[in-house]
Every structure is written in structure tokens, then in C-alpha cells.
Amino acid sequence: MKVSIFHTPELIPSDSQPDCAIAIDVLRATSTISTALAAGAEAVQAFSSMDELMRVSEQWPADRRLRAGERGGAKVEGCEMGNSPLACTPELVGGKRLFMSTTNGTRCLEKIQHAKTVLAAALINRAAIVQYLLNQQPDSIWIAGSGWEGSYSLEDTVCAGAIVHSLSAHLASQGQTLESIAGNDEAFAAVALYTQWQDRLLDLLCHATHGQRLLRLDCLDDLKYCAQLDTLDVLPIQRELGVLVKHTA
């Protein structure tokens, strides 16, 4: 098992595909996707383009769809939802499909959608991601951060580090170490970031550039929610291109 981390979608190799690719957008797309599926959403269908989202969602019954659109942290006009996981209550999303487009996260998902297995990870479902990897033992794993419009983000890197840190701890009994599973330098750096901040994840998210942006939009409660570790036992997995569902064993 080799785990490589790519900080932004632009850094993801285009000449090969891994056995398993994991998209991370802690603030907030993959946190929202995980929460929506845990709350009973039928699926989340991701789009990089709002125009495409509107076109495809029109073909879905109005009472079984929700349009979740976000740009720059704010809800897109014409959508029922923005990109807040706190909005994903069972009463709102239960039995419905979320048609979702965000500034960064859905673009990352689109970039990795041709991998053999595609997962969506956040801090809140870290343990579910790690357990899946331990069960399936894919040879090659790519963890892709969404960043912010092409630039590095602290929150996605610390989440990637949390996944690799936990994975290596579980594999230690099999004689595998971080050194043996790290596929690139970024894996070491991400684990170092996580071990430094693992007891102060909310502080880190508040220091992050996008965290600061969300604080200016009065989204502190979102940051508090997204900074939690291992609170949801849900694994979003791609069923068909761009469509994520709750994995069942």
C-alpha cells in the first residue's frame, strides 16, 4: 500500500489512475457530502459547473432534489442550499438527491472521478475512511486536497495527515511504517502537520485562509462542526461518475 498526497486538483497526475482516490474539502464540500448521506440523502451528485448542475437537475423530480450551490463561501442564487453541513438535516435531505457545485471540492471530485474507487473524506469521517482502506488494502492510494482556487490549504492537508497517521498506526502491527507506505514527500509533511495540531484542530481551521473567509461570513459554527474528528460513521463512495452514495458493506 502506497499513499500519495496532492495538495490541489492541479497537482493530480493525469497520465495514470490509482486503485483508490480520496477527495478532501474539509471546508466544506466533503464535510457536507458526508453529513448529507448520514442524514439520509439518496445521493450527492457533484458538478464543477453551475450551468451543468442546473441542466441535469431539471431532469429530476422537483420533490426529490435539492440544489446546493456555493461560490466564494456564499450560497448561489437559485439554489435551496449553500455548502453548510449544518443545513443537512434529515427533514431537509432525507430521500433526496443533492445536486452540488462548490468553489473547490466538486472540482476535485471531478478530477479523480476515473479512479477505480473514489471516496470523499473529511475530518468528521476519518475513521470510516481508514477502516475501508484497511479492509480493502488498495495498492495505490491518492489523497487529493481541494485547496482554494488552485492554492494550498491547511485544513485539507491536516485531514490527509490525519488519515495517513491513523492508517500507519493500524498497520504497525503488520510491520508497516509511515516510511513504508508514504508515496511522496507530501505524505510525511501532512502527518507532521497533523501531529502538531491534532489537539487544536479548530484553532488550525480558524487560522487557515478559507477558515478566515468563513469567519467573515459568520460561519464559526460550521468551522466547529468541520473540526471534529471521527464523529460520523459514513463512507461516501462513487457509484457512477460524479454520483456519491453511502457505502454499505
Side-chain angles (χ1 to χ4, degrees):
M1 187 184 297
K2 284 289 184 183
V3 187
S4 298
I5 293 173
F6 304 96
H7 293 310
T8 68
E10 290 76 12
L11 295 172
I12 299 170
S14 56
D15 57 353
S16 62
Q17 296 292 340
D19 294 312
C20 180
I22 304 170
I24 297 176
D25 186 7
V26 171
L27 297 176
R28 291 166 289 173
T30 55
S31 297
T32 298
I33 290 168
S34 299
T35 304
L37 293 175
E42 176 264 333
V44 178
Q45 189 162 353
F47 299 85
S48 59
S49 162
M50 277 304 307
D51 289 340
E52 182 72 0
L53 181 154
M54 291 298 185
R55 185 186 68 79
V56 173
S57 63
E58 279 295 333
Q59 302 166 24
W60 205 261
D63 62 344
R64 292 173 49 210
R65 74 174 184 228
L66 286 169
R67 292 162 170 160
E70 170 266 317
R71 290 294 184 270
K75 181 169 77 75
V76 173
E77 185 178 352
C79 292
E80 292 84 15
M81 296 175 57
N83 188 22
S84 172
L86 298 180
C88 297
T89 63
E91 294 76 18
L92 180 63
V93 306
K96 296 180 181 178
R97 175 169 295 204
L98 267 66
F99 294 85
M100 186 177 192
S101 181
T102 70
T103 306
N104 304 292
T106 53
R107 188 167 55 89
C108 182
L109 280 163
E110 187 174 78
K111 184 76 173 180
I112 63 171
Q113 65 182 350
H114 293 292
K116 293 178 183 177
T117 299
V118 175
L119 308 174
L123 290 167
I124 55 176
N125 72 331
R126 187 271 306 258
I129 293 288
V130 170
Q131 191 59 55
Y132 179 87
L133 297 177
L134 291 170
N135 291 343
Q136 300 299 319
Q137 295 280 321
D139 287 337
S140 56
I141 303 165
W142 291 358
I143 303 179
S146 298
W148 177 264
E149 296 183 344
S151 61
Y152 173 93
S153 67
L154 283 170
E155 66 275 10
D156 293 346
T157 302
V158 82
C159 181
I163 292 169
V164 178
H165 181 268
S166 179
L167 189 61
S168 62
H170 280 90
L171 291 171
S173 63
Q174 302 175 23
Q176 298 188 61
T177 63
L178 174 60
E179 290 78 7
S180 66
I181 67 171
N184 60 3
D185 290 355
E186 288 87 340
F188 287 99
V191 170
L193 180 68
Y194 172 70
T195 55
Q196 178 72 23
W197 287 89
Q198 59 184 314
D199 297 322
R200 294 186 295 148
L201 290 171
L202 177 58
D203 288 344
L204 182 67
L205 266 58
C206 288
H207 286 308
T209 303
H210 192 36
Q212 291 283 312
R213 189 178 293 108
L214 291 173
L215 287 173
R216 291 193 292 272
L217 293 169
D218 296 322
C219 294
L220 175 59
D221 286 344
D222 274 15
L223 293 183
K224 290 178 179 178
Y225 179 86
C226 294
Q228 298 176 100
L229 195 61
D230 303 336
T231 55
L232 285 186
D233 184 20
V234 62
L235 182 78
I237 190 167
Q238 182 174 263
R239 180 177 63 194
E240 56 189 89
L241 286 183
V243 179
L244 295 156
V245 299
K246 183 179 179 180
H247 178 264
T248 54

